[in-house]
Amino acid sequence: MNTIFLSMIMEAIPFVLVGVIISGLIQSFITERWIARIMPRNRFLATLFGCSIGILFPSCECGIVPITRRLLGKGVPLNAGIAFMLTGPVINPIVLFSTYIAFGNDWRIVAIRAGMAYAVALVVSLTVAYFFPVLPFRTEGEQKLAQQLAARQTAATIEAPAAVKPKIPFKRKIWSVLLHSVEEFFSVGKYLVFGAFIAACMQTFIPTSSLLHIGSNPIMASLVMITLAFTMSLCSEADAFIASSFRSTFSLGAISAFLVFGPMVDIKNTLMLLGAFKTKFVVVLIALITVCTLIGSLIVGRLVG
């Protein structure tokens, strides 16, 4: 248990650091007006945009939560922010390339993983945005601030602002990035450590063989792989190598469930989500991801075999 716990921490910390630094850069250098200009007004197009920008942010699920929280705080719509949070750990180039290598240079698996993640994120983000019209931040202060920024964003236009704000020196912005990064790191880090400990306990005391025995039909096989993805809490850059080891045991549909669900939800980032968002929102989000991933894996199993 100690070995698994330490390996998870060592694996996740670099990506958490990348995530909090990007979060600090967003806080200091990206303005609400700039976001208002690039974000599509149409909800569906904004969700598609959120699903697609993950390819520009090579971050795994360990570091995606602080980035998403910062983007939402800057006025990004909930549907676009959640779409980015779900697809970012899957469709970024590092993860897709590791998947290609793990499955013997098979682009078909890469396409299945990326396409299914895109579809699941699209459906889930549009649904949660419908049920949660108000940003579900855990702290009231963050929620009120985000609402004020969203209201300003709605009023923003493409034209130059009437009042020009004083320009902040570059050095001061860099210092602000560092301060925000340190604050975010310690805020997220405690959930990472606790989540890694729980995941290590489950891997140590719950025999994998007992789960494999249950996966006798397509639905149960996909549910077993979803459970394994959640409990193993692997980093998305490395999970494809574990998934490829199940090729002789499970169908491609069940393996696709493992490849898509794990980067979206595991023990570590569930605790990070609970630290950032309200419990009801997190429960609904995870339930939707589970259902959509299960349906997607069954479709892949029928189409590909």
Side-chain angles (χ1 to χ4, degrees):
M1 185 183 71
N2 184 53
T3 301
I4 295 172
F5 170 69
L6 291 177
S7 65
M8 282 187 178
I9 295 295
M10 295 296 289
E11 184 182 55
I13 285 294
F15 298 102
V16 174
L17 284 171
V18 171
V20 298
I21 290 171
I22 293 174
S23 173
L25 289 170
I26 291 171
Q27 172 66 21
S28 300
F29 287 93
I30 296 182
T31 65
E32 297 80 21
R33 183 169 294 276
W34 185 81
I35 291 176
R37 290 178 180 178
I38 67 169
M39 185 63 61
R41 299 292 181 190
N42 180 274
R43 174 175 289 189
F44 184 74
L45 292 179
T47 306
L48 288 178
F49 180 79
C51 288
S52 303
I53 59 174
I55 199 168
L56 304 176
F57 292 88
S59 176
C60 78
E61 75 281 359
C62 304
I64 202 73
V65 175
I67 299 175
T68 303
R69 184 169 67 175
R70 189 63 61 194
L71 286 171
L72 292 175
K74 281 286 185 178
V76 170
L78 181 63
N79 50 295
I82 296 302
F84 163 70
M85 184 181 74
L86 298 182
T87 56
V90 181
I91 68 169
N92 76 67
I94 299 174
V95 172
L96 295 182
F97 184 69
S98 69
T99 305
Y100 172 73
I101 297 298
F103 283 87
N105 303 341
D106 190 348
W107 283 111
R108 184 182 64 158
I109 307 298
V110 176
I112 289 172
R113 184 177 198 182
M116 185 172 155
Y118 205 96
V120 169
L122 186 65
V123 173
V124 170
S125 56
L126 286 172
T127 306
V128 295
Y130 176 80
F131 285 108
F132 294 90
V134 178
L135 288 175
F137 283 127
R138 175 166 288 279
T139 62
E140 294 296 330
E142 270 188 312
Q143 192 164 326
K144 289 180 180 178
L145 179 60
Q147 289 173 354
Q148 292 171 0
L149 292 175
R152 285 187 212 165
Q153 225 188 359
T154 305
T157 57
I158 302 300
E159 291 80 20
V164 179
K165 293 182 179 179
K167 191 174 181 180
I168 301 174
F170 182 77
K171 288 183 178 179
R172 189 173 173 185
K173 285 188 175 182
I174 293 296
W175 180 247
S176 177
V177 169
L178 295 176
L179 289 178
H180 281 289
S181 298
V182 170
E183 181 182 349
E184 198 83 54
F185 178 79
F186 284 103
S187 175
V188 172
K190 57 180 179 287
Y191 298 106
L192 169 67
V193 172
F194 190 54
F197 177 73
I198 295 175
C201 290
M202 295 188 72
Q203 285 194 47
T204 304
F205 298 110
I206 298 179
T208 304
S209 57
S210 62
L211 293 175
L212 297 179
H213 182 69
I214 301 173
S216 54
N217 63 69
I219 295 178
M220 290 304 299
S222 293
L223 289 175
V224 166
M225 291 303 278
I226 286 173
T227 304
L228 283 175
F230 182 80
T231 56
M232 294 177 80
S233 298
L234 299 168
C235 194
S236 59
E237 276 81 0
D239 62 354
F241 296 95
I242 304 300
S244 64
S245 68
F246 292 113
R247 297 185 77 173
S248 60
T249 309
F250 289 102
S251 67
L252 189 56
I255 290 174
S256 69
F258 183 91
L259 291 171
V260 171
F261 189 85
M264 292 185 180
V265 184
D266 62 19
I267 294 175
K268 300 191 305 293
N269 74 349
T270 296
L271 290 177
M272 293 182 194
L273 286 169
L274 288 170
F277 302 103
K278 292 182 177 179
T279 303
K280 181 181 178 181
F281 170 78
V282 177
V283 171
V284 171
L285 179 67
I286 293 175
L288 286 170
I289 294 171
T290 304
V291 171
C292 291
T293 302
L294 178 62
I295 293 172
S297 68
L298 295 176
I299 293 173
V300 169
R302 291 292 297 271
L303 295 177
V304 183

